[in-house]
Each structure stands twice: as C-alpha cells, then as structure tokens.
Coordinates of all heavy atoms in Angstrom, one line a residue:
Q729 N 107.6 115.6 108.0 CA 107.2 114.5 107.1 C 106.0 113.7 107.7 O 105.3 113.1 106.9 CB 108.4 113.5 106.9 CG 108.5 112.9 105.6 CD 108.8 114.0 104.5 OE1 109.5 114.9 104.7 NE2 108.2 113.8 103.3
F730 N 105.8 113.8 109.0 CA 104.7 113.1 109.6 C 103.4 113.8 109.2 O 102.4 113.2 108.9 CB 104.8 113.1 111.1 CG 106.1 112.5 111.5 CD1 107.1 113.3 112.0 CD2 106.4 111.1 111.4 CE1 108.4 112.7 112.4 CE2 107.6 110.6 111.8 CZ 108.6 111.4 112.3
E731 N 103.4 115.2 109.2 CA 102.2 115.9 108.8 C 101.9 115.7 107.3 O 100.8 115.5 106.9 CB 102.5 117.4 109.0 CG 102.5 117.8 110.4 CD 103.0 119.3 110.6 OE1 103.9 119.7 110.0 OE2 102.3 120.0 111.4
L732 N 103.0 115.6 106.5 CA 102.8 115.4 105.0 C 102.3 114.0 104.8 O 101.4 113.8 103.9 CB 104.1 115.6 104.3 CG 104.6 117.1 104.3 CD1 106.1 117.1 103.8 CD2 103.7 118.0 103.4
A733 N 102.7 113.0 105.5 CA 102.2 111.7 105.3 C 100.8 111.5 105.7 O 100.0 110.8 105.1 CB 103.1 110.7 106.1
Y734 N 100.4 112.2 106.8 CA 99.0 112.2 107.2 C 98.1 112.9 106.2 O 97.0 112.5 105.9 CB 98.9 112.9 108.6 CG 97.5 112.7 109.2 CD1 97.2 111.5 109.8 CD2 96.6 113.8 109.3 CE1 96.0 111.4 110.5 CE2 95.4 113.7 110.0 CZ 95.1 112.4 110.5 OH 93.9 112.3 111.2
G735 N 98.6 114.0 105.6 CA 97.9 114.6 104.5 C 97.0 115.8 104.8 O 96.4 116.4 103.9
S736 N 96.8 116.1 106.1 CA 95.9 117.2 106.4 C 96.2 117.6 107.8 O 96.9 116.9 108.6 CB 94.4 116.8 106.3 OG 94.1 115.8 107.3
L737 N 95.7 118.8 108.2 CA 95.9 119.3 109.6 C 94.6 119.6 110.2 O 93.6 120.0 109.6 CB 96.7 120.6 109.5 CG 98.2 120.5 109.0 CD1 98.8 121.9 108.7 CD2 99.0 119.7 109.9
P738 N 94.5 119.4 111.6 CA 95.5 118.9 112.4 C 95.5 117.3 112.4 O 94.5 116.8 111.9 CB 95.1 119.4 113.8 CG 93.6 119.4 113.8 CD 93.3 119.9 112.3
I739 N 96.6 116.7 112.9 CA 96.6 115.3 113.0 C 95.8 114.9 114.2 O 95.9 115.4 115.3 CB 98.0 114.8 113.1 CG1 98.8 115.1 111.8 CG2 98.1 113.3 113.4 CD1 100.3 114.7 111.8
A740 N 94.9 113.9 114.1 CA 94.0 113.4 115.1 C 94.8 112.9 116.3 O 95.8 112.2 116.2 CB 93.1 112.3 114.6
N741 N 94.4 113.3 117.5 CA 95.0 112.8 118.8 C 95.0 111.3 118.8 O 94.0 110.7 118.4 CB 94.4 113.4 120.0 CG 94.7 114.9 120.2 OD1 95.6 115.4 119.6 ND2 94.0 115.5 121.1
G742 N 96.0 110.7 119.4 CA 96.1 109.3 119.5 C 96.5 108.6 118.2 O 96.3 107.4 118.0
T743 N 97.2 109.3 117.3 CA 97.7 108.7 116.1 C 99.2 108.7 116.1 O 99.9 109.7 116.4 CB 97.2 109.6 114.9 OG1 95.8 109.7 114.8 CG2 97.7 109.0 113.6
L744 N 99.7 107.6 115.7 CA 101.2 107.4 115.6 C 101.5 107.3 114.1 O 101.0 106.4 113.4 CB 101.7 106.2 116.3 CG 103.2 106.0 116.3 CD1 103.9 106.8 117.3 CD2 103.6 104.5 116.5
I745 N 102.3 108.2 113.5 CA 102.6 108.2 112.1 C 104.0 107.6 112.0 O 104.9 108.0 112.7 CB 102.6 109.7 111.5 CG1 101.3 110.4 111.8 CG2 102.9 109.6 110.1 CD1 100.1 109.8 111.1
S746 N 104.1 106.7 111.0 CA 105.4 106.1 110.7 C 105.8 106.3 109.2 O 105.0 106.1 108.3 CB 105.2 104.6 110.9 OG 106.4 103.9 110.5
V747 N 107.0 106.8 109.0 CA 107.5 107.0 107.7 C 108.8 106.3 107.5 O 109.5 106.0 108.5 CB 107.7 108.5 107.4 CG1 106.4 109.3 107.5 CG2 108.7 109.2 108.4
P748 N 109.2 105.9 106.3 CA 110.4 105.1 106.1 C 111.7 105.8 106.5 O 111.8 107.0 106.3 CB 110.4 104.8 104.6 CG 109.0 105.1 104.1 CD 108.4 106.1 105.0
A749 N 112.5 105.0 107.1 CA 113.9 105.4 107.4 C 114.9 104.5 106.7 O 114.5 103.5 106.2 CB 114.1 105.4 108.9
P750 N 116.2 104.8 106.7 CA 117.1 104.0 106.1 C 117.1 102.5 106.6 O 116.7 102.3 107.8 CB 118.5 104.6 106.4 CG 118.1 106.1 106.6 CD 116.8 106.1 107.2
R751 N 117.5 101.6 105.8 CA 117.6 100.2 106.2 C 116.2 99.6 106.6 O 116.1 98.7 107.5 CB 118.6 99.9 107.3 CG 120.0 100.3 106.7 CD 121.1 100.1 107.8 NE 121.0 101.1 108.8 CZ 121.5 102.4 108.7 NH1 122.1 102.7 107.6 NH2 121.4 103.3 109.7
D752 N 115.1 100.1 106.0 CA 113.8 99.6 106.2 C 113.3 99.7 107.6 O 112.5 98.9 108.1 CB 113.7 98.1 105.7 CG 112.2 97.7 105.5 OD1 111.4 98.6 105.1 OD2 111.9 96.5 105.7
I753 N 113.8 100.6 108.4 CA 113.3 100.8 109.7 C 112.4 102.1 109.6 O 111.9 102.4 108.5 CB 114.4 101.0 110.8 CG1 115.4 102.1 110.4 CG2 115.1 99.6 111.0 CD1 116.4 102.2 111.5
A754 N 112.0 102.7 110.7 CA 111.0 103.8 110.6 C 111.3 104.9 111.5 O 111.9 104.8 112.6 CB 109.6 103.2 111.0
Y755 N 110.9 106.1 111.0 CA 110.8 107.3 111.9 C 109.3 107.4 112.3 O 108.4 107.2 111.5 CB 111.1 108.6 111.1 CG 112.5 108.7 110.5 CD1 112.7 108.8 109.2 CD2 113.6 108.8 111.4 CE1 113.9 108.9 108.6 CE2 114.8 109.0 110.9 CZ 115.0 109.0 109.5 OH 116.3 109.2 109.0
V756 N 109.1 107.6 113.6 CA 107.7 107.6 114.1 C 107.5 108.9 115.0 O 108.5 109.4 115.6 CB 107.3 106.4 114.9 CG1 107.4 105.1 114.0 CG2 108.2 106.2 116.1
Q757 N 106.3 109.3 115.1 CA 106.0 110.4 116.0 C 104.5 110.2 116.4 O 103.6 110.0 115.5 CB 106.2 111.8 115.5 CG 105.9 112.9 116.5 CD 106.3 114.2 116.1 OE1 106.9 114.4 115.0 NE2 106.1 115.2 116.9
G758 N 104.2 110.3 117.7 CA 102.8 110.2 118.1 C 102.2 111.6 118.3 O 102.9 112.6 118.7
F759 N 100.9 111.8 118.1 CA 100.3 113.1 118.2 C 99.2 113.0 119.3 O 98.4 112.0 119.3 CB 99.7 113.5 116.9 CG 100.8 113.9 115.9 CD1 101.4 112.9 115.2 CD2 101.2 115.2 115.8 CE1 102.4 113.2 114.3 CE2 102.3 115.5 114.9 CZ 102.9 114.5 114.2
G760 N 99.1 114.0 120.2 CA 98.2 113.9 121.3 C 98.6 112.9 122.4 O 97.8 112.3 123.1
I761 N 99.9 112.6 122.4 CA 100.5 111.6 123.3 C 101.6 112.3 124.1 O 102.4 113.0 123.5 CB 101.0 110.4 122.6 CG1 100.0 109.9 121.5 CG2 101.4 109.3 123.5 CD1 100.6 109.0 120.5
G762 N 101.7 111.9 125.4 CA 102.8 112.5 126.2 C 104.0 111.6 126.1 O 104.0 110.5 125.5
G763 N 105.1 112.0 126.8 CA 106.3 111.2 127.0 C 107.1 111.0 125.7 O 107.0 111.8 124.7
Q764 N 107.8 109.9 125.6 CA 108.7 109.7 124.5 C 107.9 109.5 123.2 O 108.4 109.8 122.1 CB 109.5 108.4 124.8 CG 110.6 108.6 125.8 CD 111.7 109.5 125.4 OE1 112.1 109.5 124.2 NE2 112.2 110.3 126.3
A765 N 106.7 109.0 123.3 CA 105.9 108.7 122.1 C 105.6 110.0 121.3 O 105.3 109.9 120.1 CB 104.6 108.0 122.4

C-alpha cells in the first residue's frame, strides 16, 4: 500500500510513506532508511 500511495517506482530514498490505519492512526514505512523506520 506504501508503493501504491506513492504512485510510482522506485520510491525515493529518505521518504516515509503514511497510509490510514483503523481508529485514525497510521501505517508507515520508510524507504532508504535503516533500522525500525
């Protein structure tokens, strides 16, 4: 869903994509980032 929200490939390094999750919180994933992000 992060790729689809960004709308093209590849996703630029240093980008954090956020998409809606239940109860108005968010699913997130960082691209070109190490660790938990």
Side-chain angles (χ1 to χ4, degrees):
Q729 217 63 41
F730 307 106
E731 292 173 314
L732 292 169
Y734 190 75
S736 63
L737 295 172
I739 296 178
N741 286 347
T743 303
L744 185 81
I745 305 294
S746 174
V747 298
R751 294 178 289 279
D752 197 35
I753 56 178
Y755 298 115
V756 298
Q757 183 172 359
F759 292 82
I761 312 163
Q764 290 291 325

